[in-house]
Amino acid sequence: MIKVKEFTPKSKSLAKVATNPDTRGKTKKDLKSHFAEVAEDLGDLQELIFAESKHKVLIILQGLDTSGKDGTVEHVFAAMNPQGLRVVSFKRPTPKELRHDYLWRVHANTPINGEIVIFNRSHYEDVIIPAVHKTLPKSRIENRIQDINAFEKMLTDEGVTILKFFLHISLKEQAERLRARIDNPDKHWKFELSDLAERKLWPKYQKAYGEIIHKTHHKDRPWYIIPADDKDVRNFVVSFILEQRLKKLKPVLPRFDKATFEKIKKEVAKL
């Protein structure tokens, strides 16, 4: 049994965090079997959250190119009902979005009651990219980190449950995945030349993510650093943590009170 706390950040250095940890002797078959069980539970929990229409859940996925954000969405959330699930992918800001503050488009996509929203990339791009490419002064970046902390605290105060996952891969694994995209014509659409340019900045990205995760990790809106070199391990760990957190919400199916139920039965009898 894994312990959720194992995946919370312990220091600013991502180099100290394993990208492919010990699976305690579990085989691939074991992992896939456990994942299938947890995925089924997630489907049931999401149905309760949607039906109860009380809780709001925001899931943030961050990671370097090829870390598996799309794959996580595809596999971990496959059993959930699309009615109560929404995925938002934040691309380069549009001209209209650029005329607003950087959190404007983000706030507009936060979850409503009964909804689970997944941010595939998020407002953290507006801190990470400027930090790596030095397009903003350090003081502005620090201000944005404070803004994000205040923004997420406001969401939490308003009843949003926030879970933040950083998909942590190694430089070697990224190289293999980039090669796979080139070798497979069906994956060419995922490849951009800029991926290779960004790869050269790997140490800067690792440093920026390590510092920003450390500064924005809070008990009520935590970061989880997920070992992502192995896709089966990644999917299981994300789904397990998500299952444990959603269970704590204790969602239940709404019930009629006795008086209302008796009234309904009388009306139904007339049919």
Side-chain angles (χ1 to χ4, degrees):
M1 180 66 70
I2 68 170
K3 296 180 180 178
V4 172
K5 285 186 177 180
E6 291 178 20
F7 303 98
T8 55
K10 307 296 188 299
S11 73
K12 294 181 182 180
S13 176
L14 289 176
K16 296 179 180 179
V17 183
T19 59
N20 199 4
D22 176 20
T23 55
R24 296 169 177 78
K26 292 189 183 298
T27 64
K28 283 275 190 182
K29 186 176 180 181
D30 291 332
L31 278 176
K32 288 182 178 180
S33 175
H34 292 316
F35 171 70
E37 293 172 7
V38 174
E40 187 176 346
D41 286 345
L42 285 177
D44 293 339
L45 285 163
Q46 187 251 341
E47 182 179 6
L48 292 175
I49 289 169
F50 179 64
E52 190 178 27
S53 194
K54 172 184 175 183
H55 301 286
K56 297 169 276 197
V57 180
L58 175 60
I59 297 162
I60 294 171
L61 295 179
Q62 287 289 149
L64 296 172
D65 294 326
T66 77
S67 60
K69 296 179 291 294
D70 292 344
T72 300
V73 172
E74 179 183 355
H75 295 287
V76 173
F77 302 93
M80 293 190 181
N81 187 334
Q83 274 191 301
L85 182 71
R86 184 160 50 93
V87 182
V88 183
S89 295
F90 290 100
K91 308 295 185 183
R92 289 188 183 91
T94 65
K96 179 180 179 180
E97 289 169 344
L98 285 170
R99 290 197 292 269
H100 291 271
D101 65 87
Y102 69 98
L103 288 173
W104 176 77
R105 65 174 182 162
V106 177
H107 200 173
N109 282 289
T110 53
I112 61 173
N113 286 348
E115 189 177 44
I116 295 176
V117 172
I118 305 163
F119 282 178
N120 185 344
R121 296 187 187 273
S122 67
H123 42 293
Y124 283 94
E125 296 290 310
D126 295 297
V127 183
I128 294 293
I129 301 298
V132 170
H133 289 274
K134 300 189 184 304
T135 54
L136 288 176
K138 193 171 181 179
S139 59
R140 283 283 302 281
I141 292 170
E142 288 299 322
N143 285 342
R144 285 191 173 189
I145 291 172
Q146 292 178 29
D147 292 341
I148 287 172
N149 277 326
F151 172 64
E152 291 181 354
K153 182 180 185 305
M154 181 273 293
L155 292 178
T156 302
D157 290 344
E158 291 298 313
V160 180
T161 296
I162 302 176
L163 296 92
K164 301 180 285 193
F165 297 98
F166 176 72
L167 306 183
H168 188 35
I169 61 170
S170 64
L171 187 62
K172 180 182 176 182
E173 179 63 22
Q174 189 194 53
E176 292 178 4
R177 293 183 186 183
L178 286 172
R179 288 193 195 100
R181 288 182 179 181
I182 292 298
D183 294 340
N184 185 351
D186 292 339
K187 292 189 176 182
H188 283 180
W189 66 275
K190 284 190 170 186
F191 185 83
E192 294 183 21
L193 281 175
S194 61
D195 295 342
L196 299 178
E198 294 300 293
R199 177 176 164 80
K200 294 177 182 178
L201 301 172
W202 182 274
K204 292 183 178 180
Y205 272 106
Q206 295 288 295
K207 184 175 185 293
Y209 263 117
E211 290 181 354
I212 289 164
I213 286 172
H214 183 75
K215 291 176 180 177
T216 56
H217 171 70
H218 301 277
K219 186 177 180 180
D220 59 349
R221 46 194 191 280
W223 274 104
Y224 299 101
I225 302 176
I226 306 300
D229 276 1
D230 185 297
K231 297 174 184 179
D232 290 326
V233 171
R234 176 200 72 202
N235 292 339
F236 175 71
V237 174
V238 171
S239 61
F240 179 84
I241 291 172
L242 186 57
E243 177 196 35
Q244 298 306 304
R245 287 297 305 276
L246 294 185
K247 279 183 175 178
K248 288 183 179 179
L249 299 179
K250 298 181 179 179
V252 295
L253 288 173
R255 304 287 184 185
F256 294 121
D257 62 79
K258 188 174 181 180
T260 301
F261 187 58
E262 290 300 321
K263 191 179 296 184
I264 289 172
K265 284 204 297 184
K266 289 179 181 178
E267 292 299 319
V268 170
K270 295 177 183 177
L271 296 177

